[in-house]
Amino acid sequence: MDELKPPQRLLLGPGPCNVPYRVLRAMSTPLVGHLDPLFMQMMDEVCSMLRQVFKTENQMTFPVSGTGSAGMEATFVNLLEPGDTAVVCQNGVFGTRMIDVAERCGAKVIKVEAEWSQPLDQQKIIDTLKAHPEAKLCAIVYAETSTGVLQPIQEIGAYLKDKDTLFLVDTVTALGGVNLEVDAWGIDASYSGTQKCLAVPPGLAPVTFGPKALEVLNNRKTKVQSWYLDLTMLSKYWSSSERLYHHTAPITMIYGLREGLRIVLEEGLENRFERHAAAAGHLAKGLGEMGFGFWAAEGYRLPPLTCAIPPQGWDVEGIRKKLLADYDIEVGGGLGPAAGKIWRIGLMGENACVQKVAVLLRALQDFA
Amino acid sequence: MDELKPPQRLLLGPGPCNVPYRVLRAMSTPLVGHLDPLFMQMMDEVCSMLRQVFKTENQMTFPVSGTGSAGMEATFVNLLEPGDTAVVCQNGVFGTRMIDVAERCGAKVIKVEAEWSQPLDQQKIIDTLKAHPEAKLCAIVYAETSTGVLQPIQEIGAYLKDKDTLFLVDTVTALGGVNLEVDAWGIDASYSGTQKCLAVPPGLAPVTFGPKALEVLNNRKTKVQSWYLDLTMLSKYWSSSERLYHHTAPITMIYGLREGLRIVLEEGLENRFERHAAAAGHLAKGLGEMGFGFWAAEGYRLPPLTCAIPPQGWDVEGIRKKLLADYDIEVGGGLGPAAGKIWRIGLMGENACVQKVAVLLRALQDFA
């Protein structure tokens, strides 16, 4: 078996994106043990930086040892018990996945749906919640990676603030790339991934749980169905003075996340959001001039991920493969009803800049 | 927040161990996407090397995107359904954890126990299996990381070969360090971790499932309770020509595992086992001369992990802390009944050599 020598891809898909050299360098740092007092200090630093990025005071904010989907599962399995009702919003792959995960917890799922590419109507969700005050939680995707829709959620959070129902939000393709305010928006639980706007390799899922969610957790009648993701035990390792061993933390990944978060906070969240928005605007302008359409409804487009419809006559999948093979540029294909019809173009982390937009636009001219 | 600059620890605990420079370098390789054809090829390479290390032809052999405990959970949740019977052997922390995980799957657990530090009697397990032919699986830890006991398992595997009951084996602190023959020993499912004798950072759990286990999986009446670990979906990403997206694979960790496996196979498994055994023998001799005792029963000691009882009068936990703080040497503390009484000394991966043994023995002389 040969040495590893992949080409230098420009990763403009739905994530992972290219990772800053500083993060890769941090990941090649020799390991310390997962119970080393110095590692405990790093864990605290990571949690503290994650709180800043989530804009929350939640003590229970840490990275789950798995990718974004493990974060999704962690929020659902800890908060739901068999027989519970869950209101789940669905307008893309990840809303659909949340329904599957909730049902595997034995929950009865009430769906609120919208067409893929369209945002959900907040009032419709609130009406559903009024009809189902028994719902343990309401789950929604803030940034749908399958459609590029940025979902307005603040009215739902405001409605649920004084209700028993928890507000659970998927922030995978948002965290560090578009504004997100966990505390101010009344979000009780949220999960994200490292490989999107944080620009760290995939492998960790930052999560945050607020006081209302912890109360639900502490009042469970049954054990959490996942041992690996059981927050009642994980919390004793991540955020108590006991530092009780649960499982061996993925040390190298945490080194990488620590450096990635340092970079995010050095730049400043608001600067970072502006940079993502500016790059997306630049891309949309260039694509529009070339005759591209856009899938996500206007006014609801997610800056880190543009879902673009190539001009008529273009071989959508063929050109996507050529971009990868000949130009070393990765863009994502469509999922579900958009399969073979759109490209999902990510401008995340350090890729959210005019230079990378210029590379892609110029390459596309060769196919026009 | 400062740059990451941990000290250079010598990791002689129960894992992680020190990671070869080549693995760290591979992990700082720029990323490709998780659906990139080149990544698919790397996945195949990793699976092929894992088969060699597990000594199996099992097609369904791949790394789960989580640490060893996620591997444990993956084997149980895929093979057990509510109401199933599971025979689980318990003589340490990880046997105890298996019981907890099996019960969270809704299984009825029949325990076979032995004192911690003692191996389990294979005939007793076989008698239990005879009394419970309805058991869906029999689970046992081959290398108990909490006690340093290497458990004989071949008679159980031979007994179960023509029975319906599956044989599930924890090989976390064995894989790549002591002989393990999944196919020849009749093991139907096994999980391991990367941070032990494979000398790769923690974060992945190699698993293997044989034909008998896949039949059980395919005949399930209920969905696997974990979406993240659902093998019916994971298998479509890892080992079918469809390469159906499930979750974003932890690319950097897979780069590291690939390089770690390359190193293991370059050395050769049998050479590697001999090296681990020789280093453990050297350590035991030196410790014995200093008046140390050994916790695990004689004849059943796990070469990669020696559970040593410091001489009377030694401040067991105090000296362990000093070894870390003053000498940058990590050894593990005892768990459960052995807490505060023993040290768990790992000689894994590149640390299984006389040089590292000499460092530790010389440091210990300062406390004699």
Side-chain angles (χ1 to χ4, degrees):
Chain A
M1 208 73 73
D2 272 358
E3 196 189 336
L4 191 69
K5 36 193 173 186
Q8 294 264 352
R9 302 288 207 209
L10 175 56
L11 300 176
L12 302 182
C17 62
N18 294 93
V19 167
Y21 176 63
R22 280 172 55 185
V23 170
L24 294 176
R25 192 175 52 188
M27 292 184 75
S28 67
T29 307
L31 273 68
V32 297
H34 58 291
L35 297 172
D36 194 309
L38 293 171
F39 187 65
M40 303 295 160
Q41 191 188 316
M42 285 179 225
M43 287 162 64
D44 285 343
E45 290 165 355
V46 166
C47 294
S48 157
M49 289 191 285
L50 279 178
R51 276 181 213 109
Q52 292 178 62
V53 174
F54 271 123
K55 297 191 181 173
T56 184
E57 301 285 325
N58 291 340
Q59 176 60 23
M60 191 51 47
T61 303
F62 70 99
V64 164
S65 305
T67 59
S69 298
M72 180 190 289
E73 189 151 316
T75 54
F76 281 90
V77 297
N78 280 288
L79 300 177
L80 288 177
E81 294 186 74
D84 282 347
T85 297
V87 171
V88 185
C89 304
Q90 179 188 30
N91 60 342
V93 166
F94 295 92
T96 307
R97 182 173 299 179
M98 292 198 302
I99 291 169
D100 191 356
V101 171
E103 285 176 346
R104 288 172 196 241
C105 298
K108 184 187 155 202
V109 173
I110 312 289
K111 290 177 212 175
V112 184
E113 291 165 290
E115 217 180 300
W116 289 33
S117 81
Q118 296 299 317
L120 292 135
D121 177 11
Q122 292 189 85
Q123 191 52 51
K124 189 175 158 191
I125 298 164
I126 292 168
D127 290 344
T128 306
L129 289 167
K130 280 182 182 161
H132 291 282
E134 80 284 10
K136 192 77 153 290
L137 58 80
C138 169
I140 197 164
V141 177
Y142 176 45
E144 241 303 343
T145 318
S146 64
T147 62
V149 168
L150 183 65
Q151 170 68 44
I153 59 171
Q154 296 185 48
E155 288 172 26
I156 309 163
Y159 171 76
L160 287 177
K161 225 158 193 172
D162 59 355
K163 308 287 183 300
D164 285 337
T165 305
L166 299 173
F167 193 31
L168 193 168
V169 181
D170 175 321
T171 57
V172 171
T173 303
L175 193 70
V178 291
N179 190 33
L180 166 70
E181 308 193 15
V182 165
D183 288 358
W185 298 356
I187 298 171
D188 298 303
S190 184
Y191 59 89
S192 191
T194 46
Q195 78 276 17
K196 312 283 183 179
C197 306
L198 298 180
V200 170
L204 291 175
V207 296
T208 186
F209 289 82
K212 216 166 110 182
L214 294 185
E215 208 185 311
V216 165
L217 179 75
N218 293 331
N219 289 324
R220 286 182 68 99
K221 290 185 189 71
T222 57
K223 266 191 183 179
V224 175
Q225 70 187 34
S226 168
W227 185 93
Y228 188 62
L229 302 173
D230 184 341
L231 204 67
T232 61
M233 296 189 293
L234 281 169
S235 62
K236 288 181 188 146
Y237 176 62
W238 276 95
S239 73
S240 81
S241 51
E242 298 172 85
R243 295 298 188 180
L244 216 65
Y245 162 64
H246 180 257
H247 68 266
T248 306
I251 296 154
T252 303
M253 281 302 310
I254 288 169
Y255 282 3
L257 177 57
R258 184 182 180 283
E259 189 65 16
L261 290 169
R262 254 172 33 104
I263 293 171
V264 168
L265 294 174
E266 279 167 17
E267 178 174 16
L269 285 173
E270 310 309 319
N271 292 340
R272 200 169 172 92
F273 302 153
E274 272 172 38
R275 180 165 59 78
H276 279 77
H282 199 73
L283 175 68
K285 183 166 172 290
L287 290 176
E289 285 164 6
M290 292 179 72
F292 276 73
F294 299 92
W295 200 40
E298 202 169 349
Y300 300 95
R301 291 183 193 145
L302 179 60
L305 189 71
T306 298
C307 287
I309 306 165
Q312 251 191 332
W314 282 41
D315 174 6
V316 177
E317 282 302 284
I319 295 174
R320 195 168 73 83
K321 281 182 184 137
K322 274 192 182 155
L323 279 175
L324 186 69
D326 300 345
Y327 294 79
D328 278 326
I329 298 175
E330 178 178 87
V331 300
L335 296 175
K341 295 180 187 160
I342 67 163
W343 290 341
R344 291 180 299 148
I345 306 173
L347 296 173
M348 303 179 192
E350 62 180 6
N351 289 347
C353 64
V354 291
Q355 186 209 49
K356 302 296 158 65
V357 173
V359 173
L360 177 65
L361 290 176
R362 183 60 193 82
L364 290 179
Q365 282 177 19
D366 292 349
F367 299 97
Chain B
M1 207 73 72
D2 272 357
E3 197 189 336
L4 191 68
K5 36 193 171 185
Q8 293 265 350
R9 302 288 207 208
L10 176 55
L11 300 176
L12 302 182
C17 61
N18 294 94
V19 167
Y21 176 63
R22 280 173 54 185
V23 170
L24 293 177
R25 193 174 51 188
M27 294 184 74
S28 66
T29 306
L31 273 68
V32 298
H34 59 290
L35 297 172
D36 193 308
L38 294 172
F39 187 65
M40 303 294 160
Q41 190 186 318
M42 286 179 225
M43 288 163 63
D44 285 343
E45 290 165 355
V46 165
C47 294
S48 157
M49 289 191 285
L50 279 178
R51 277 181 212 107
Q52 292 178 62
V53 174
F54 271 122
K55 297 190 180 174
T56 184
E57 301 285 325
N58 291 340
Q59 177 61 23
M60 190 51 48
T61 303
F62 70 99
V64 164
S65 305
T67 60
S69 299
M72 180 189 290
E73 188 150 318
T75 54
F76 281 90
V77 297
N78 281 288
L79 300 177
L80 288 178
E81 294 187 73
D84 281 347
T85 297
V87 172
V88 185
C89 304
Q90 179 190 31
N91 60 341
V93 165
F94 295 92
T96 307
R97 183 173 299 182
M98 292 198 303
I99 292 170
D100 191 356
V101 171
E103 285 176 345
R104 288 172 195 242
C105 297
K108 184 187 154 203
V109 173
I110 312 288
K111 291 178 211 173
V112 184
E113 291 165 289
E115 216 180 301
W116 289 34
S117 82
Q118 297 299 315
L120 292 135
D121 177 11
Q122 292 189 85
Q123 191 52 52
K124 188 175 158 190
I125 298 165
I126 292 169
D127 290 345
T128 306
L129 289 168
K130 280 182 181 162
H132 292 282
E134 80 284 9
K136 193 75 153 293
L137 58 81
C138 168
I140 196 165
V141 178
Y142 176 45
E144 241 304 343
T145 318
S146 64
T147 62
V149 168
L150 183 65
Q151 170 67 43
I153 59 170
Q154 296 184 48
E155 289 172 25
I156 309 164
Y159 171 77
L160 287 176
K161 225 158 192 170
D162 59 356
K163 309 289 184 296
D164 286 338
T165 305
L166 300 173
F167 193 30
L168 193 169
V169 181
D170 174 321
T171 56
V172 171
T173 304
L175 194 69
V178 292
N179 191 32
L180 167 70
E181 308 193 16
V182 164
D183 288 358
W185 296 356
I187 297 171
D188 298 303
S190 184
Y191 60 89
S192 190
T194 46
Q195 76 277 17
K196 311 284 184 176
C197 305
L198 298 179
V200 170
L204 291 174
V207 295
T208 185
F209 289 81
K212 218 166 107 181
L214 293 185
E215 208 186 308
V216 165
L217 179 74
N218 292 331
N219 288 323
R220 286 183 67 100
K221 289 185 190 72
T222 58
K223 266 192 183 179
V224 175
Q225 70 187 34
S226 167
W227 185 94
Y228 188 62
L229 302 172
D230 185 340
L231 203 66
T232 62
M233 296 189 292
L234 282 168
S235 62
K236 288 181 189 148
Y237 176 61
W238 275 95
S239 73
S240 81
S241 52
E242 297 171 86
R243 296 298 187 180
L244 216 66
Y245 162 64
H246 180 257
H247 68 267
T248 306
I251 295 154
T252 304
M253 282 302 309
I254 289 168
Y255 282 3
L257 177 57
R258 183 182 181 282
E259 190 64 16
L261 290 168
R262 254 172 34 103
I263 294 171
V264 169
L265 294 174
E266 278 167 17
E267 179 174 15
L269 285 172
E270 311 308 319
N271 291 340
R272 200 168 171 93
F273 302 153
E274 273 172 37
R275 181 165 58 77
H276 278 77
H282 200 73
L283 174 68
K285 184 167 171 289
L287 290 176
E289 284 165 7
M290 292 180 71
F292 276 74
F294 299 93
W295 199 40
E298 202 169 349
Y300 299 95
R301 291 186 193 142
L302 179 59
L305 189 70
T306 298
C307 287
I309 306 166
Q312 251 191 332
W314 282 42
D315 174 6
V316 177
E317 281 301 285
I319 294 174
R320 194 168 74 83
K321 281 182 185 140
K322 275 191 183 155
L323 278 174
L324 186 70
D326 299 346
Y327 294 79
D328 278 327
I329 299 175
E330 179 178 86
V331 301
L335 296 175
K341 294 180 188 160
I342 67 163
W343 290 341
R344 291 181 299 149
I345 306 174
L347 295 173
M348 302 178 191
E350 62 180 6
N351 289 347
C353 65
V354 291
Q355 186 209 51
K356 302 297 158 63
V357 173
V359 174
L360 178 65
L361 290 176
R362 183 59 194 84
L364 290 179
Q365 282 177 20
D366 292 348
F367 299 98

